[in-house]
Amino acid sequence: MPAAAFLAVQDADARRAPEPPAATERGGLQNDLDDRPAPVGFSTYGMRRLVVPVQPQPPRTERIRHGPAWSYWRRCHRAVARARHRRHHDHGAARPPPRTAAAQSISN
C-alpha cells in the first residue's frame, strides 16, 4: 500500500523537525495566539484518517457483506488463538487457584 509508506515517511520527517522556540512569557495570562505552542505533528494514524475518506471506496453492498464476514473470521481466529494459548500455558492440567497469604493464615 503506497499510501501507508508515504504517510510513514511524512511522519518520520515531521518528527525530525526541530522544536519551535519556546514562547516568551509577558507576565500574567498568555491569551495571544503568538504565545500558544505550535501544534504537535501528525501521527501516522492521524494522517491516515485524513487520507482514507478521499480514497475510492468499494460499493456499499460489498462493504455490508465484508463487515460480518470479517467479524466472523476474526472471532474464529481469536477462538483458535485463545485455545492454543491456554493449551500452551495450562499443559492440559486443571490447577487449583494459588493460595494467598491471608488464606494460608486462616487454615493454620
Side-chain angles (χ1 to χ4, degrees), residues 68-80:
W70 177 85
S71 176
Y72 178 76
W73 174 87
R74 178 69 181 136
R75 289 182 292 122
C76 290
H77 178 74
R78 287 179 59 199
V80 169

Side-chain angles (χ1 to χ4, degrees), residues 67-103:
W70 177 85
S71 176
Y72 178 76
W73 174 87
R74 178 69 181 136
R75 289 182 292 122
C76 290
H77 178 74
R78 287 179 59 199
V80 169
R82 175 180 283 179
R84 288 180 181 166
H85 176 83
R86 288 181 175 167
R87 192 175 333 134
H88 174 76
H89 289 283
D90 292 341
H91 302 290
R95 295 186 206 133
R99 297 182 70 179
T100 62

Side-chain angles (χ1 to χ4, degrees), residues 22-38:
T24 59
E25 292 187 6
R26 298 182 198 170
L29 297 175
Q30 296 180 359
N31 291 335
D32 296 336
L33 291 176
D34 297 336
D35 291 342
R36 292 184 183 173

